[in-house]
Amino acid sequence: DTGVSQNPRHKITKRGQNVTFRCDPISEHNRLYWYRQTLGQGPEFLTYFQNEAQLEKSRLLSDRFSAERPKGSFSTLEIQRTEQGDSAMYLCASSQAGSRRTEAFFGQGTRLTVV
Amino acid sequence: QKEVEQNSGPLSVPEGAIASLNCTYSDRGSQSFFWYRQYSGKSPELIMSIYSNGDKEDGRFTAQLNKASQYVSLLIRDSQPSDSATYLCAVSNSGYSTLTFGKGTMLLVSP
């Protein structure tokens, strides 16, 4: 399967713990995005990378959130000191730069539950 | 602030009917428009993209774009129960790569 892959699929953590999610984009895609989705809402943009450079971060991304894409391939999203309000589906997407036709394809998502 | 508005639904149609889903957006600089389908508990799946005014057809799906009215729509012909899902409208500005999503419209197709 050459689609976007996210791990883990589900994560239950206690409030105050740190969690890390991984995303492997479609291999030829150099843009990678993180979104967060809560029940009844559309996905909300968190951050995006072009290759290894983090080009944009949403104001939603508090200082407890950090994302990396060290070699321009896979990416990790870490949440420190988790809060119950962090419970959501975390979605990764990738697309190919070089065109205005920025079709983005999503992975299966990581569902985070903070208890 | 960029906004994308959709009726949350549910929109209920009988099997075989045409389902019409609508979306408006606030940013006149928007250049790229997408429809994603999302089944309950799953991630969004891209089903249509449109970049120019007019209609774009792909199988049972037709996307319509009117930039002057800042309006995008998705028509689903011969609706099937398997089309029952939430349909997300997403918009992108050519100066950015990120998508702004609406809250989605839930479609229910009854047999």
Side-chain angles (χ1 to χ4, degrees), chain B residues 93-109:
Chain B
N93 184 302
S94 63
Y96 295 86
S97 299
T98 60
L99 297 170
T100 301
F101 284 86
K103 293 183 178 182
T105 298
M106 181 182 293
L107 173 66
L108 298 176
V109 182

Side-chain angles (χ1 to χ4, degrees), chain A residues 31 35 37 45 101 103-104 107, chain B residues 36 38 43 49 97-99:
Chain A
R31 285 181 174 163
Y35 289 82
Q37 186 177 25
F45 167 72
R101 297 171 184 263
E103 295 181 344
Chain B
Y36 286 83
Q38 187 172 29
S43 64
S49 59
S97 299
T98 60
L99 297 170

Side-chain angles (χ1 to χ4, degrees), chain B residues 52-69:
Chain B
S52 304
N53 280 329
D55 295 359
K56 178 182 177 182
E57 185 175 323
D58 183 0
R60 296 186 297 112
F61 298 101
T62 298
Q64 299 175 317
L65 174 60
N66 184 326
K67 289 186 178 180
S69 300

Side-chain angles (χ1 to χ4, degrees), chain A residues 43-86:
Chain A
E44 295 176 299
F45 167 72
L46 294 178
T47 188
Y48 106 91
F49 294 83
Q50 181 157 320
N51 300 312
E52 66 275 11
Q54 189 173 19
L55 296 187
E56 188 176 349
K57 293 195 293 185
S58 165
R59 66 181 188 280
L60 294 175
L61 209 66
S62 77
D63 56 5
R64 296 185 299 106
F65 287 71
S66 62
E68 293 183 342
R69 195 182 182 197
K71 297 184 179 179
S73 56
F74 73 92
S75 175
T76 58
L77 177 69
E78 181 182 18
I79 309 174
Q80 296 182 326
R81 304 181 304 280
T82 52
E83 302 173 355
Q84 286 189 323
D86 297 331

